[in-house]
Amino acid sequence: MTLSVQSLAALAVEIQNGLQGRDRFTRLITSIHHALRCDATALLRYENRQFRPLATAGLAPDVMGRRFSLEAHPRLEAIARAGDVVRFPADSDLPDPYDGLIPDQQELHVHACVGMPLFSGQSLIGALTLDGMNAAQFDPYSDEELRILASLTGGALSNALLLDRLEEPASSFVPPPHRPEDNEEAEIIGESAPIRHLKKEIGVIAPSDLSVLILGETGTGKELIAQALHRQSTRAATPLIYLNCAALPETVAESELFGHVKGAFTGAIHDRKGKFELADKGTLFLDEIGELPLSLQAKLLRVLQYGDLQRVGEDRALTVDVRIIAATNLDIRRAVTEGKFRADLYHRLSVFPLFVPPLRERGEDIVLLAGFFCEKCRSKFGLQSVALSPAAGAQLSAASWPGNVRELEHAIYRATLMAQAERRSRDVVLLPQHFSLDGGRLVVPTAPATFTASELPERSLHEATRQFQRDYIQQIYQTSGKVWAETARRLEVDPGNLHRLARKLGLK
């Protein structure tokens, strides 16, 4: 069977139908999938040396959340570099990015694979991939027929991406400059209604210089929102400076914010710029702003109002131009009512509040995020594939996720390690038994002690206690996403005391 003129004409009409980008991509892929009788078809967008799925057919739902970097996927790199149709032989030793990701075929490897790079002018904008379980599945189609198909698809993709840009808010139409340090970790993964609404709000407020207060539970990804605001702002080419207010002992907090001069206090052996000076002409992200001491809130307010500050120990005022983005997981209005946070600072910061929805309210995003983290695990642990079984996907979707996205990420990492140890294979399939769930809530299994005091080497009680504290804090810190505020919450200790203890133990 070949692609007749009539078939190509019908595909051309089908490809160009529709106005909405998301629907257009789905119809486009569905038409090609059926016309060429593929087992798996994917339309991929190329950005920053990685491919991002725009629509798929015949592949697991979590594939839409995965990001395929060229460095980790040699087949996709070959397609990106080819400039023409690529047919991979059935016995190719290059791993297929979709191995284990075709439903009901997790144990089988893809045998037929065709890739077509998609261009807008001379620029690579995406790829179309066709996969089948039969090694000779695409032999009837000539390279010329596939080139015509790629040309039609590339034109449709280019038009759809242009329409997407035209539909963006006018204030955010101008794209930010590309920065090499941008990577997949800065992307907000999700297509649920709450996340689409949040992305729209980011597009509206980002180009302005208004202060933004990001609200949401711990683990929802507030730092990613701050990065997106900065990346889409007119300050994107300038620094984004980060400061965790919960990690600031009150004795050094003023110096961290505003800097100090030599001799201002004991230990001030040279002049030092504060975060505000470092962020001049850029953006300052104040994470955990609700933990900032009241004594500093008044000084912070003055900088926000007038743009001038004084280094500790210096009388001369400095003027800075800084955009403030703040975040907190506290009920900040309640903190104002209770006198724990200044009302005037709250109103100054919350010119445009953004609420990051908890994971339990994001529905289908759970599977997309699971796919995203599965791909990260595959790369991190050097595996051939990490697939999420349908039963495990349903189990994850039903969980309540009190720790939100961070908890889901850790659950995927643990499950991958358990599945790998069980199979002793580079092809891993995550099953329900690899996760521990109780009543819809994910339970983090704690390992029982594997030693007794008599088995420990003899040392002073002080040294034994110190070593235990160090190991235990390090363990909780790792499982808290390397976030000290979350570590303090789980250990039920004051954040300032924890930071002092961590420094004393050599952890910081």
Side-chain angles (χ1 to χ4, degrees):
M1 179 182 294
T2 61
L3 286 172
S4 64
V5 175
Q6 292 83 357
S7 298
L8 286 170
L11 273 177
V13 171
E14 197 68 37
I15 285 171
Q16 294 298 336
N17 276 339
L19 295 176
Q20 298 300 318
R22 196 177 182 189
D23 293 336
R24 176 199 296 268
F25 298 147
T26 301
R27 280 198 293 271
L28 184 157
I29 282 299
T30 302
S31 301
I32 295 173
H33 185 74
H34 290 307
L36 276 68
R37 300 181 181 179
C38 306
D39 287 300
T41 313
L43 176 65
L44 310 172
R45 171 79 191 275
Y46 179 73
E47 296 173 299
N48 299 331
R49 292 192 57 78
Q50 68 174 10
F51 282 108
R52 172 170 64 89
L54 295 176
T56 66
L59 290 169
D62 65 270
V63 171
M64 289 295 294
R66 295 177 183 248
R67 302 297 179 258
F68 301 104
S69 68
L70 298 191
E71 290 76 10
H73 294 282
R75 287 203 189 203
L76 293 179
E77 182 178 24
I79 295 171
R81 293 180 179 277
D84 197 4
V85 174
V86 180
R87 296 177 185 264
F88 295 95
D91 58 352
S92 172
D93 57 358
L94 297 179
D96 194 293
Y98 307 133
D99 279 345
L101 299 180
I102 299 178
D104 302 321
Q105 302 286 347
Q106 283 92 349
E107 299 299 323
L108 298 177
H109 288 264
V110 177
H111 293 292
C113 180
V114 173
M116 290 164 275
L118 306 178
F119 295 91
S120 176
Q122 299 298 314
S123 299
L124 178 69
I125 59 172
L128 177 65
T129 62
L130 316 176
D131 290 274
M133 306 311 297
N134 180 350
Q137 198 150 333
F138 304 117
D139 289 355
Y141 308 114
S142 69
D143 284 356
E144 186 58 34
E145 290 171 326
L146 295 178
R147 288 190 190 103
I148 294 173
L149 178 60
S151 178
L152 292 171
T153 307
L157 176 58
S158 179
N159 292 338
L161 295 176
L162 178 60
L163 285 174
D164 286 345
R165 286 184 56 194
L166 291 172
E167 291 170 0
E168 291 177 359
S171 59
S172 62
F173 178 78
V174 179
H178 169 68
R179 299 184 300 145
E181 64 269 26
D182 286 345
N183 55 50
E184 73 278 3
E185 293 185 349
E187 182 184 356
I188 302 170
I189 304 292
E191 293 296 334
S192 64
I195 286 297
R196 290 203 305 272
H197 177 71
L198 178 59
K199 290 179 179 178
K200 184 177 180 180
E201 287 187 315
I202 292 171
V204 170
I205 189 59
S208 78
D209 268 348
L210 295 177
S211 298
V212 179
L213 180 61
I214 306 172
L215 305 169
E217 298 176 7
T218 182
T220 51
K222 296 185 288 295
E223 186 174 348
L224 285 184
I225 306 304
Q227 292 174 10
L229 286 166
H230 178 71
R231 196 167 57 249
Q232 296 179 38
S233 75
T234 57
R235 300 172 181 253
T238 58
L240 169 64
I241 302 299
Y242 173 85
L243 179 63
N244 185 353
C245 298
L248 284 177
E250 191 167 353
T251 54
V252 300
E254 186 174 0
S255 173
E256 281 292 318
L257 281 168
F258 310 123
H260 64 255
V261 296
K262 181 179 179 180
F265 50 83
T266 302
I269 58 176
H270 52 72
D271 292 355
R272 183 174 185 271
K273 291 182 178 181
K275 300 298 185 184
F276 269 96
E277 281 189 79
L278 295 174
D280 191 25
K281 302 297 189 297
T283 305
L284 176 59
F285 175 43
L286 299 174
D287 199 7
E288 305 290 352
I289 186 69
E291 305 290 342
L292 194 67
L294 278 169
S295 59
L296 279 176
Q297 292 181 22
K299 297 181 180 181
L300 175 60
L301 180 63
R302 177 173 178 81
V303 180
L304 296 183
Q305 288 178 327
Y306 303 110
D308 63 330
L309 58 88
Q310 286 180 300
R311 291 180 180 177
V312 178
E314 186 175 54
D315 295 329
R316 181 172 61 93
L318 301 173
T319 301
V320 293
D321 173 18
V322 176
R323 185 195 190 173
I324 296 295
I325 300 174
T328 182
N329 58 12
L330 298 179
D331 183 342
I332 199 72
R333 291 187 178 181
R334 182 177 178 181
V336 170
T337 303
E338 295 175 349
K340 298 178 180 178
F341 199 85
R342 292 180 62 106
D344 47 5
L345 179 58
Y346 164 68
H347 292 300
R348 188 76 185 185
L349 290 171
S350 60
V351 176
F352 200 108
L354 288 178
F355 177 72
V356 187
L359 186 56
R360 60 184 173 274
E361 296 179 4
R362 293 176 55 181
E364 66 269 29
D365 288 351
I366 294 175
V367 171
L368 299 187
L369 285 162
F372 177 78
F373 294 131
C374 282
E375 180 60 24
K376 287 184 67 176
C377 283
R378 188 205 62 77
S379 177
K380 184 179 183 68
F381 300 137
L383 300 173
Q384 182 85 11
S385 65
V386 178
L388 184 70
S389 70
Q395 182 185 40
L396 297 182
S397 297
S400 60
W401 301 111
N404 292 295
V405 179
R406 186 181 299 128
E407 184 182 9
L408 173 62
E409 178 180 12
H410 296 161
I412 295 293
Y413 272 67
R414 286 191 300 272
T416 301
L417 289 173
M418 293 181 66
Q420 183 185 15
E422 181 182 283
R423 289 175 55 115
R424 298 295 180 185
S425 169
R426 295 183 67 238
D427 293 304
V428 169
V429 179
L430 304 186
L431 303 173
Q433 60 263 32
H434 298 137
F435 299 89
S436 180
L437 293 167
D438 181 19
R441 173 173 176 169
L442 190 89
V443 177
V444 179
T446 56
T450 59
F451 56 84
T452 64
S454 62
E455 297 172 320
L456 293 174
E458 184 175 334
R459 64 182 70 180
S460 69
L461 180 60
H462 172 75
E463 283 298 318
T465 303
R466 178 185 175 90
Q467 186 62 43
F468 172 81
Q469 287 180 317
R470 190 182 190 282
D471 292 345
Y472 190 68
I473 292 173
Q474 179 72 12
Q475 174 188 332
I476 300 301
Y477 175 68
Q478 294 292 334
T479 59
S480 297
K482 297 185 178 181
V483 177
W484 284 109
E486 176 66 11
T487 305
R489 186 190 68 79
R490 293 178 61 182
L491 291 173
E492 299 182 3
V493 298
D494 176 79
N497 291 338
L498 176 61
H499 284 284
R500 284 189 287 273
L501 179 59
R503 281 191 289 272
K504 183 179 179 181
L505 296 172
L507 293 172
K508 294 187 67 180

